[in-house]
Amino acid sequence: MELVSLLSRMSFYLPIRHRQSCTRVAVLPSSDFFISTVERLCDRVQSSTLLEDRRDAVRALKSLSKKYCLEVGSQAMEILISVLQTDRNDTEIVGYAVETLTNVMCNEPYEEEDEPPRALPEDLGIQFTEMFIKDPENISLLLSLLEEYDFHVRWPTVKLITTLLINKGKAIQEIILTSPMGVSKMMDLLSDSREIIRNDGLLLLIQLTRSNTNIQKIVAFENAFERLLDIIAEEGNSNGGIVVEDCLLLLLNLLKNNSSNQNFFKEGSFINRLPAYFELEPADQSPQGGWSAQKVTNIHLMLQLVRTLVSPNGPQQQTMACQKAVFQCGLLEKLCNILMASGVPADVLTETINTVSEVIRGNQGNQEYFASVLAPSNPPRPAIVVLLMSMVNEKQPFVLRCAVLYCFESFLYKNELGQSQIISTLLPTTAEVNTITAGQLLCGGLFSSDPLSTWFAAVALMHAVFDNAKQKEQLLRVQLATSLGNPPVSLLQQCSNILAQGAKLQTRVGLLMLLSEWLSNCPAAVNHFLSNNANIPFLISQVSASEGDEMELIVQSLCAFLLGICILYNSEQVEGFAKHDLRNIIEKRIGLEQFTDKLLQVSKHEAYSRAAKKPQLNIQQTSDILFDHQFTKLFKQLENEVIRAISPGSDEENEAEKKKQVALEQHESIVEQYKGIIREQDSQLNIVRGELSELQNKHKECNTKVEELGRQIQQLKDQNALLKAQRTGSIPVSSPKENGISVTQLTMDLDAKTLQVKENEQEIEKLKAELTKALGTASSHDHGQVNAMVNDSSSPNMSGDQFSVEDLNRKLECKEEEVKLYKNKYESMSKQLVQLREQMTSGDLQEDKHSLTQRVSELEFNLTAAEIEKKRAVDNEICAQDKLKAVIEEKAALEEKVKKFEKDMAELEIELEEVKASATEGKKDQEDLLILLAEHESKLKTYRDRLKELGEKVEDDLDDDDDDLDGDDDED
């Protein structure tokens, strides 16, 4: 109805002669009308000057684009791209144009109830996509539209880019990689507050990151891990909806087969956020509660995420680091809780077991933790025992049983302690009556009537002794009670008996794989197997049989392999079954060619190739289960050795070859020994070089330190001088030199002035004494005499006395003035001295002086130590150079010895080749001689026949002829 009303409105813009027909078409439109309408709408978009007219035309094209995508795409694509460029400011017309392009490039067929679907090419959307991306600027245009916040622009643009990626993902990825900030603009969609845009942005990023390592790295470094885990937490973790599933799919895209992102995920501590995802609520553990389909899907995806981090196919060092992080953050504990919980769906339980298997595989710490996990039963049982009970129970789902076997194999992988613990449960000294052990379950499954249980138990027991000779010998001690009154038989013999009874295919294959691994590299087990006279005839009968289908041929091939192992690891201790005896039996009863053909049938089988790819069983049908991954490794390792062990050859040639081989091995061991010495010398040389470089670095550091300490001492000396100058800064001075006068010098000057003042005071006292004496003499005369003396001016004595008194008074005044001057100077200098002493006794100056003195002492000590260290480094460097020189000389001598031994070994190899060539030539000469003798005998017979025909008498005593020939040979 929208299209009809829109076309009615558009008829206003059509010519007058078409308006009435357009109205009729709106009532009952035809296909031809719509096709012509597309043309007119395209013209309207191109020619109309009003934005409203162009907008209505584009809206009409959008309505037609779903059903008539071929016509709209072929005619309007360039026009719509032009609209995106020219009418960018109008969000409504841009939104219509983007939606139209999305409808055109979408490959989903348009269906209506009243009309049959149109016959269109299946790859129509891909063809339009190729047209669109011919110009890479179109993709850049769409990326720029992502910056628009308007919903009617951003959301259709996200859907269009997603459609383009679905159609031509690789090409779009290359264009986006070359576009500046292209990936960043898409990552901004995850931060959009409108959930519909954020959710469609997730779908866009899922398509963008598919199978492109570079884009995956860029997205990861745009903080994708933290954003996605935040969204998962906001949506409710495993209880969330489809959004959580999309986030997990995007995380899987970023991590799968991308070791860089896996390492970034681990280093960013994002593994620590995963345990919260596996929290089980009480309702999840209730048998009546049930899990929603969405929760099962979410748990599956998160388990796949964990398996991606710890995959055995990844780099070993990184896998071990992730396994360690999974254990430390408590994730392994959460997974084990799911294993032991009730009410968990079977498919979730199966995937959890597979995840735990890869978390513990090859990691000793995780394996020890898993061995300590107990099931919540009464009494508590180890989780391994509970899992083995499920594996040997034929009522359990097949996929679950395969997962338990994989978990058991992973627990024993590179775990000798775990292997010994499992084997110990089979030994009679450790068996307990009231406790179900792993050994009891494996023995019960091994002799079960269910062929799958037997196969699973045999493979599990094979992994318990895999590449462990000690446990293989321990397993020989296991004795089984078959029936009352009969003596117990060994486990090895019971397996052979069941094999000889002609059990089902999978039972026989499982037992043959177990026996092959058990006997390989274990002569004691081979002797035990050969001690039963019925075992070798059974194997010979199986290998020599020519009838049977393809599966029987597999059993015959495995019997041939087991027989070859009996020859390969034979210790020649069982009478009648030594190596040469078994080789003769094969030659006479089977034939070497037939034996080799039977042996090679194993590796040609499809099941062998499938099992050799990865350790986990990826089989959906029970009939397809045959070989184990570890057995394929064993077969590949021993196949050629078995063929060489049964190859024909005279004893003398074998002895000669053995001697040559022993000589070569001796020379090789000597060469290897010298190579080891050279490697050790190289390592020592590298160590000495490292020490030398370290000493040189220390030497440089010491020089730098000495220079630095010298600079610091000079700096402290300057600071000390500056502080001394500051202390004397209060004395009035006239020049910079006088400002630097020390306190000691001022004290000395003051003492000199004080001494001078004292001398002046003593002189004044002396003058005072003389004056007093003179005054006393004058007072002893009477007044008359004095007047007479005064009036008698001619008396020379009187005038002399008078002059001496005046002189004394003048001198006294001068001395008093000098005393005053010296007192003033003394008082001034005393004040300065007091002031300086106050400064000297102030706390700050004392602390500065003390700290500076202490720092100078410390630096002088460090300087002395640095000089000693420098001298020691120089001595060490000289010593290291001497060692280096000695090591280089020793290495050169060893290399000469190695060259000499290699030359001797080459000569021995040449000599061996010459011996082989001479032996071959002698054998050829013998064959030629036999041919000549045969021809001679045939000629003699021909001559006798002709003589008989001619009537001559000829003796038919061939023995005489032979004797004559022998006599001739002797004479020769």
Side-chain angles (χ1 to χ4, degrees):
M1 293 300 295
E2 179 186 1
L3 177 59
V4 173
S5 61
L6 183 60
L7 290 175
S8 300
R9 290 169 52 194
M10 288 299 301
S11 65
F12 175 79
Y13 301 103
L14 297 175
I16 296 175
R17 61 179 180 274
H18 294 304
R19 292 184 185 175
Q20 187 175 2
S21 61
C22 187
T23 305
R24 289 196 301 270
V25 171
V27 177
L28 188 61
S30 64
S31 299
D32 294 337
F33 170 77
F34 284 117
I35 295 172
S36 61
T37 302
V38 170
E39 297 178 0
R40 289 195 296 271
L41 291 174
C42 291
D43 293 338
R44 180 65 62 185
V45 174
Q46 287 181 304
S47 60
S48 180
T49 57
L50 294 176
L51 177 60
E52 185 178 356
D53 295 347
R54 295 197 302 274
R55 187 189 303 127
D56 290 338
V58 174
R59 183 183 177 189
L61 285 172
K62 187 200 81 170
S63 301
L64 292 170
S65 60
K66 288 187 177 180
K67 185 174 181 180
Y68 299 97
C69 56
L70 176 61
E71 291 78 8
V72 174
S74 58
Q75 298 183 45
M77 180 174 291
E78 295 295 334
I79 299 171
L80 295 172
I81 294 173
S82 177
V83 168
L84 295 179
Q85 295 171 345
T86 57
D87 295 328
R88 176 73 178 270
N89 294 329
D90 187 75
T91 58
E92 191 172 357
I93 191 173
V94 169
Y96 291 150
V98 173
E99 289 183 27
T100 306
L101 291 172
T102 304
N103 294 336
V104 166
M105 297 178 193
C106 183
N107 285 319
E108 296 180 1
Y110 177 76
E111 297 181 0
E112 287 187 354
E113 297 180 358
D114 300 335
E115 298 181 8
R118 298 179 63 193
L120 296 174
E122 294 181 357
D123 61 342
L124 182 62
I126 297 176
Q127 294 179 17
F128 283 135
T129 302
E130 291 175 350
M131 293 170 56
F132 185 80
I133 64 175
K134 278 184 180 180
D135 185 4
E137 291 299 323
N138 294 337
I139 302 298
S140 301
L141 179 62
L142 294 181
L143 293 175
S144 66
L145 291 177
L146 286 178
E147 299 176 356
E148 295 288 341
Y149 187 75
D150 190 274
F151 179 81
H152 296 91
V153 175
R154 201 173 200 186
W155 186 43
T157 305
V158 171
K159 293 195 293 183
L160 176 56
I161 298 176
T162 305
T163 303
L164 294 173
L165 285 167
I166 293 173
N167 293 339
K168 299 293 290 185
K170 189 173 181 180
I172 303 297
Q173 288 171 341
E174 295 298 328
I175 297 173
I176 291 175
L177 275 175
T178 59
S179 177
M181 302 298 292
V183 178
S184 300
K185 294 174 184 176
M186 297 182 184
M187 284 298 299
D188 291 340
L189 298 173
L190 298 181
S191 303
D192 200 304
S193 58
R194 296 161 293 191
E195 290 190 0
I196 187 170
I197 293 180
R198 185 199 66 184
N199 298 342
D200 283 346
L202 285 171
L203 299 177
L204 168 60
L205 290 171
I206 291 172
Q207 297 296 330
L208 177 67
T209 56
R210 188 161 291 170
S211 303
N212 193 300
T213 306
N214 293 327
I215 291 181
Q216 290 168 1
K217 292 179 181 178
I218 296 172
V219 172
F221 282 96
E222 288 283 344
N223 205 21
F225 292 138
E226 184 171 0
R227 294 187 188 182
L228 292 173
L229 292 175
D230 289 342
I231 294 174
I232 290 173
E234 292 172 1
E235 294 291 328
N237 289 327
S238 59
N239 294 318
I242 191 69
V243 177
V244 174
E245 179 181 349
D246 292 338
C247 291
L248 293 174
L249 288 173
L250 180 54
L251 285 172
L252 282 173
N253 281 356
L254 296 176
L255 294 174
K256 191 171 289 184
N257 300 324
N258 194 320
S259 58
S260 175
N261 281 1
Q262 291 174 11
N263 187 58
F264 180 65
F265 191 86
K266 177 187 70 68
E267 294 296 335
S269 300
F270 296 112
I271 295 179
N272 299 338
R273 300 183 60 177
L274 300 183
Y277 194 90
F278 295 98
E279 291 284 353
L280 291 181
E281 299 177 358
D284 297 331
Q285 304 184 45
S286 173
Q288 295 81 15
W291 291 33
S292 64
Q294 187 61 56
K295 179 166 185 174
V296 171
T297 302
N298 294 342
I299 292 288
H300 262 288
L301 292 174
M302 184 56 79
L303 290 172
Q304 290 178 21
L305 177 65
V306 177
R307 292 185 66 183
T308 301
L309 295 172
V310 297
S311 173
N313 298 326
Q316 184 177 3
Q317 185 176 2
Q318 183 169 303
T319 300
M320 293 291 289
C322 290
Q323 289 174 335
K324 183 179 179 181
V326 168
F327 172 72
Q328 290 177 344
C329 72
L331 179 55
L332 179 58
E333 180 182 359
K334 298 293 183 184
L335 295 175
C336 291
N337 292 339
I338 296 177
L339 283 186
M340 298 295 106
S342 59
V344 179
D347 51 350
V348 173
L349 183 61
T350 301
E351 190 65 20
T352 305
I353 294 173
N354 288 329
T355 305
V356 172
S357 305
E358 295 184 352
V359 170
I360 67 174
R361 184 177 180 84
N363 189 298
Q364 187 175 359
N366 293 0
Q367 289 167 341
E368 291 177 358
Y369 172 79
F370 184 70
S372 65
V373 176
L374 298 176
S377 59
N378 191 14
R381 294 173 179 169
I384 298 174
V385 174
V386 175
L387 292 176
L388 288 177
M389 292 173 66
S390 301
M391 186 185 73
V392 298
N393 187 355
E394 57 183 311
K395 295 181 180 180
Q396 293 293 337
F398 172 69
V399 180
L400 177 63
R401 299 172 74 183
C402 291
V404 173
L405 176 63
Y406 182 46
C407 185
F408 189 73
E409 293 174 358
S410 300
F411 169 69
L412 297 177
Y413 183 70
K414 295 182 179 180
N415 185 8
E416 293 185 359
L417 177 62
Q419 288 177 324
S420 64
Q421 290 173 350
I422 297 298
I423 297 300
S424 65
T425 60
L426 287 163
L427 300 178
T429 55
T430 59
E432 297 182 7
V433 178
N434 299 325
T435 305
I436 299 176
T437 63
Q440 294 176 1
L441 292 172
L442 291 177
C443 283
L446 195 62
F447 308 123
S448 172
S449 59
D450 177 32
L452 276 180
S453 298
T454 304
W455 190 91
F456 282 124
V459 172
L461 198 56
M462 180 186 74
H463 282 269
V465 297
F466 185 81
D467 200 19
N468 194 328
K470 181 179 178 181
Q471 299 307 322
K472 291 177 182 179
E473 294 179 359
Q474 289 291 322
L475 197 59
L476 292 174
R477 296 172 50 198
V478 178
Q479 300 290 322
L480 301 175
T482 55
S483 60
L484 294 175
N486 293 328
V489 297
S490 66
L491 177 62
L492 180 63
Q493 187 55 47
Q494 184 65 17
C495 292
S496 303
N497 295 338
I498 295 175
L499 191 62
Q501 291 172 4
K504 292 184 180 181
L505 173 68
Q506 290 168 335
T507 298
R508 288 181 288 167
V509 170
L511 291 175
L512 285 170
M513 288 193 297
L514 172 60
L515 292 174
S516 298
E517 173 56 38
W518 195 348
L519 269 60
S520 66
N521 202 21
C522 185
V526 173
N527 294 337
H528 190 89
F529 182 79
L530 295 177
S531 62
N532 189 341
N533 296 329
N535 289 338
I536 294 299
F538 168 74
L539 295 179
I540 294 294
S541 64
Q542 288 291 316
V543 178
S544 61
S546 57
E547 69 278 355
D549 56 4
E550 182 183 3
M551 293 302 160
E552 287 297 328
L553 185 60
I554 292 297
V555 175
Q556 296 169 11
S557 302
L558 293 175
C559 289
F561 182 61
L562 182 59
L563 185 58
I565 290 176
C566 292
I567 298 174
L568 190 61
Y569 296 101
N570 196 324
S571 60
E572 309 282 347
Q573 294 181 3
V574 181
E575 186 178 358
F577 293 108
K579 288 185 179 181
H580 65 277
D581 297 329
L582 295 176
R583 192 182 297 114
N584 292 335
I585 293 173
I586 291 173
E587 290 178 0
K588 293 178 181 179
R589 298 282 303 276
I590 302 173
L592 297 178
E593 185 177 354
Q594 183 180 356
F595 182 89
T596 305
D597 291 341
K598 288 287 180 70
L599 183 65
L600 296 177
Q601 292 300 319
V602 175
S603 58
K604 295 179 181 179
H605 200 274
E606 180 183 357
Y608 177 90
S609 302
R610 185 170 55 246
K613 291 180 180 178
K614 55 183 180 179
Q616 183 186 4
L617 290 173
N618 189 14
I619 300 172
Q620 301 299 327
Q621 297 181 359
T622 57
S623 58
D624 294 335
I625 189 169
L626 279 180
F627 297 111
D628 177 70
H629 178 74
Q630 293 293 352
F631 174 76
T632 60
K633 288 185 175 181
L634 176 69
F635 187 86
K636 185 177 180 181
Q637 179 185 356
L638 299 181
E639 180 182 9
N640 293 328
E641 294 185 19
V642 169
I643 294 175
R644 283 197 298 268
I646 64 169
S647 297
S650 64
D651 294 336
E652 295 179 358
E653 291 178 358
N654 290 336
E655 288 296 329
E657 281 190 23
K658 284 183 180 178
K659 290 180 181 178
K660 294 290 183 182
Q661 191 68 26
V662 169
L664 287 174
E665 288 178 356
Q666 289 178 353
H667 280 282
E668 287 178 356
S669 64
I670 294 172
V671 171
E672 286 296 328
Q673 183 178 359
Y674 277 105
K675 285 182 178 178
I677 294 173
I678 290 173
R679 282 193 291 269
E680 185 178 355
Q681 295 291 339
D682 283 336
S683 63
Q684 292 179 358
L685 184 62
N686 292 330
I687 292 172
V688 171
R689 284 175 178 169
E691 291 177 354
L692 178 60
S693 62
E694 185 176 354
L695 290 173
Q696 288 175 347
N697 293 332
K698 285 185 178 180
H699 181 60
K700 292 179 181 178
E701 289 177 0
C702 289
N703 288 336
T704 306
K705 198 171 183 180
V706 167
E707 293 175 359
E708 176 127 7
L709 290 173
R711 287 195 298 269
Q712 290 181 0
I713 290 172
Q714 185 62 37
Q715 185 178 1
L716 288 172
K717 287 180 178 179
D718 296 339
Q719 291 178 359
N720 191 15
L722 181 61
L723 286 173
K724 288 180 179 179
Q726 288 177 354
R727 289 171 191 163
T728 59
S730 60
I731 300 174
V733 290
S734 59
S735 67
K737 290 184 178 179
E738 293 176 353
N739 290 333
I741 296 174
S742 63
V743 176
T744 305
Q745 185 177 358
L746 289 173
T747 305
M748 293 172 64
D749 293 342
L750 184 61
D751 292 340
K753 296 292 184 183
T754 304
L755 183 61
Q756 190 174 1
V757 169
K758 288 182 179 180
E759 291 176 353
N760 290 332
E761 287 179 349
Q762 290 175 0
E763 189 175 356
I764 290 170
E765 291 296 331
K766 184 179 180 182
L767 291 173
K768 284 182 178 181
E770 292 178 356
L771 181 61
T772 304
K773 185 178 179 181
L775 292 174
T777 302
S779 62
S780 64
H781 296 285
D782 54 12
H783 186 70
Q785 291 176 342
V786 172
N787 290 330
M789 290 174 64
V790 172
N791 294 325
D792 192 1
S793 60
S794 62
S795 178
N797 292 331
M798 289 296 295
S799 64
D801 293 334
Q802 184 179 1
F803 289 142
S804 62
V805 171
E806 292 177 355
D807 292 337
L808 287 173
N809 287 330
R810 284 195 299 271
K811 287 183 178 179
L812 183 60
E813 291 175 358
C814 290
K815 292 296 182 180
E816 287 178 353
E817 290 178 358
E818 288 181 2
V819 167
K820 288 181 181 179
L821 179 64
Y822 281 120
K823 282 184 177 180
N824 293 333
K825 289 185 178 179
Y826 178 76
E827 290 175 358
S828 175
M829 294 184 75
S830 297
K831 290 180 181 179
Q832 292 180 8
L833 184 60
V834 170
Q835 187 176 0
L836 287 173
R837 284 176 178 171
E838 289 177 357
Q839 291 179 0
M840 286 293 295
T841 56
S842 63
D844 294 337
L845 289 176
Q846 289 294 333
E847 291 178 0
D848 291 342
K849 181 178 178 181
H850 179 70
S851 62
L852 286 172
T853 305
Q854 186 177 1
R855 179 61 177 166
V856 169
S857 301
E858 183 180 351
L859 289 173
E860 288 176 351
F861 177 77
N862 291 338
L863 180 60
T864 306
E867 289 176 351
I868 295 171
E869 185 68 24
K870 177 181 177 182
K871 184 177 179 182
R872 188 182 301 166
V874 171
D875 296 339
N876 291 335
E877 182 178 358
I878 294 170
C879 181
Q881 288 177 352
D882 295 338
K883 287 183 181 179
L884 180 63
K885 186 177 180 181
V887 169
I888 290 172
E889 292 176 355
E890 188 175 355
K891 180 182 176 183
L894 289 174
E895 287 177 350
E896 290 295 330
K897 290 183 180 180
V898 170
K899 289 180 181 178
K900 183 178 178 182
F901 278 106
E902 287 179 349
K903 184 178 179 181
D904 295 342
M905 188 170 67
E907 291 176 357
L908 286 173
E909 289 177 352
I910 294 170
E911 186 179 351
L912 178 61
E913 293 296 330
E914 290 177 355
V915 171
K916 289 183 178 179
S918 62
T920 305
E921 187 177 356
K923 191 173 182 181
K924 185 177 180 183
D925 292 340
Q926 290 179 359
E927 292 176 354
D928 294 340
L929 183 59
L930 290 174
I931 293 171
L932 288 173
L933 289 174
E935 291 178 353
H936 182 65
E937 288 179 0
S938 63
K939 286 181 181 181
L940 286 177
K941 186 177 180 182
T942 304
Y943 291 153
R944 288 194 189 96
D945 293 339
R946 290 188 65 184
L947 287 173
K948 286 179 182 180
E949 290 176 359
L950 294 173
E952 296 291 335
K953 186 179 179 181
V954 180
E955 294 181 0
D956 294 333
D957 192 3
L958 295 177
D959 294 334
D960 296 339
D961 295 339
D962 294 337
D963 294 338
D964 295 338
L965 290 172
D966 294 337
D968 296 338
D969 293 338
D970 295 336
E971 293 175 1
D972 295 336

